[in-house]
Amino acid sequence: MKTIIEPFRIKSVEPIRMTTRSEREAILKTARYNLFSVPADDVLIDLLTDSGTGAMSAEQWAGVMRGDESYAGSRSFERFQATVQELTGMPHVLPTHQGRAAEKILFALVGGPGKLIPNNTHFDTTRANIEYTGATASDCLIPEGKIPSVPYPFKGNMDVAALVDAIKAHGPENVPLCMLTVTNNSSGGQPVSMANIQAVKAALAPFGIPLYLDCCRFAENAYFIQQREPGYADRTVKSIAQEMFSYADGALMSAKKDGLANIGGFLSLRADTLVEQARQLLILTEGFPTYGGLAGRDLEAIAQGLTEVVEEDYLRYRIRSVAYLGEAISKAGVPIIQPPGGHAVYIDAGAMLAHLQPQTFPGQSLACELYLEAGVRSCEIGSVMFGKQGPDGRSSLAPMELVRLAIPRRVYTQSHIDYLAEAIIQVYDRRHELVGYRIVAQPQFLRHFTAAFEPMTGVSR
Ligand code: F0G
């Protein structure tokens, strides 16, 4: 049997509103060519993010009804805490309303001017929360991870030699902790191997620097280890995940990804050192320690989600459906980050639209065209997101011009994925017709969310 089916059937459906190309042209114009401004009802397939967009199971919804909303000592917290403790092996569990709230608490305690926090690749909110304290966030990704077209099984790995150099250059006393993001979202949803986690841990030991996992997509990472790393084929995903956590001193989680929930997160800690201070901040900014930033029903949904996400049938379907999309479009010639990641396929728009200068935002051009062609909402991850306008009005450029197609969990079926592949290939086949874009209005920070654009139709490029 070759077809890997969705390991679930559908009990509740959400209709998709169909639109025509001419309707979408008007919608996109009104949105000033920024897909963040398009109403979700006007999107056919929404691949903006895999965060908080997953479908919950019948058991999770049952848990929502069972949620204990007691302010202190709720039964739902007990279940949440026990689930996270069993998975991470860490005794201290602080619930937060999402991942960045856990980041905010941790870096308020250990950050500050002069400090350095290394990572394989920091996610934007992690970097922003570190920099907000005056500390420096540095990325130490292996060289293989920086070349989109080159396949490598663990492209998310940390460059251990670069990490040690960074620690020595900055002074180990100024490095309060080191992070590893599993899977590595900002480098294409690529996994980190167990050997690399062990090597990072060993490199940190002589300096006494603790290791923290940014574990939003820990189950997808563990599945890749089972499939790709020698010695793990016969292990359960859950036991692999537990081993990953066993090397860590702390973990930051956005439960909106592999928690299979629509909201939530946590900070978990092995040692007692930071716990009291972290709880104080939790109470100040999120809530009492037995609910943090969440309702009892959310804690139930996450506890159940963390149990379902390590099921092998689910992960086989999940990783296969992302790879299926990646393979279908790359077979037709579309350049993508190889191999496809765990939660997303990243199109190399810079390579696909080589006739467009990076200053004219090829990623934005492709994202807009995918919407016009098929109602698909993707996300530019290139010079719109990372570039900044200089005093001369010109934009600084990102190292890569990518478009991310992030796949929500358990939401779309194989025919949705087939439709997507057809649409992307159609756009690819007439890629030379795509025009560049210019920014006509932008805010000072995080411009991709609200900037307004204009297509450079009929203008020499
Ligand atoms: N760390 C990683 C690796 C992430 O991908 C995200 C969120 C966060 C931390 C922050 O978590 O959103 O719950 O506060 N990533 C989403 C995305 C937004 O689209 O990739 P959060």
Side-chain angles (χ1 to χ4, degrees), residues 232-313:
Y232 288 93
D234 297 329
R235 293 266 303 273
T236 63
V237 171
K238 184 173 171 186
S239 85
I240 295 170
Q242 286 169 324
E243 183 181 340
M244 286 163 52
F245 284 111
S246 74
Y247 303 114
D249 302 283
L252 295 149
M253 172 86 183
S254 165
K256 300 171 75 172
K257 287 85 167 172
D258 276 351
L260 297 178
N262 302 120
I263 196 72
F266 61 78
L267 168 63
S268 62
L269 299 165
R270 195 175 295 285
D272 301 339
T273 343
L274 290 174
V275 179
E276 272 323 305
Q277 284 170 287
R279 280 219 180 94
Q280 288 304 310
L281 277 183
L282 183 74
I283 293 173
L284 276 177
T285 59
E286 291 281 292
F288 189 74
T290 62
Y291 69 86
L294 295 167
R297 52 180 167 270
D298 301 322
L299 295 167
E300 286 283 345
I302 298 167
Q304 179 61 28
L306 289 172
T307 315
E308 292 175 10
V309 78
V310 291
E311 285 171 7
E312 323 248 329
D313 287 342

Side-chain angles (χ1 to χ4, degrees), residues 100 103 119 121-128 181 185-186 214:
R100 67 198 71 182
E103 292 166 359
N119 201 334
T121 317
H122 286 285
F123 181 67
D124 347 356
T125 60
T126 325
R127 172 176 286 279
T181 304
N185 183 10
S186 307
D214 179 341

Side-chain angles (χ1 to χ4, degrees), residues 111-258:
K115 297 285 167 50
L116 176 81
I117 316 280
N119 201 334
N120 44 358
T121 317
H122 286 285
F123 181 67
D124 347 356
T125 60
T126 325
R127 172 176 286 279
N129 271 305
I130 292 167
E131 291 174 350
Y132 185 73
T133 70
T136 304
S138 77
D139 294 339
C140 304
L141 182 67
I142 53 162
E144 290 87 339
K146 296 174 190 165
I147 316 165
S149 58
V150 176
Y152 184 75
F154 292 102
K155 267 179 125 167
N157 279 357
M158 177 86 91
D159 182 335
V160 181
L163 168 68
V164 172
D165 287 349
I167 293 170
K168 287 185 180 157
H170 219 82
E173 66 285 3
N174 296 317
V175 184
L177 59 87
C178 169
M179 295 190 68
L180 258 182
T181 304
V182 293
T183 58
N184 189 344
N185 183 10
S186 307
S187 86
Q190 301 291 322
V192 175
S193 69
M194 195 73 85
N196 191 250
I197 302 176
Q198 292 162 342
V200 171
K201 178 76 179 164
L204 296 173
F207 302 112
I209 297 172
L211 174 64
Y212 279 62
L213 294 185
D214 179 341
C215 65
C216 326
R217 300 179 180 89
F218 73 94
E220 291 168 5
N221 199 91
Y223 183 76
F224 280 122
I225 290 177
Q226 188 200 55
Q227 296 299 306
R228 296 181 184 171
E229 191 160 351
Y232 288 93
D234 297 329
R235 293 266 303 273
T236 63
V237 171
K238 184 173 171 186
S239 85
I240 295 170
Q242 286 169 324
E243 183 181 340
M244 286 163 52
F245 284 111
S246 74
Y247 303 114
D249 302 283
L252 295 149
M253 172 86 183
S254 165
K256 300 171 75 172
K257 287 85 167 172
D258 276 351

Side-chain angles (χ1 to χ4, degrees), residues 21-35 37-38 368 371-372 437 440 452-455:
R21 182 168 175 121
S22 66
E23 282 170 332
R24 291 193 290 269
E25 278 167 4
I27 293 163
L28 195 57
K29 194 166 179 218
T30 308
R32 304 182 81 190
Y33 301 93
N34 187 329
L35 291 165
S37 303
V38 172
C368 285
Y371 178 71
L372 294 173
Y437 278 72
V440 290
F453 301 84
E454 201 173 70

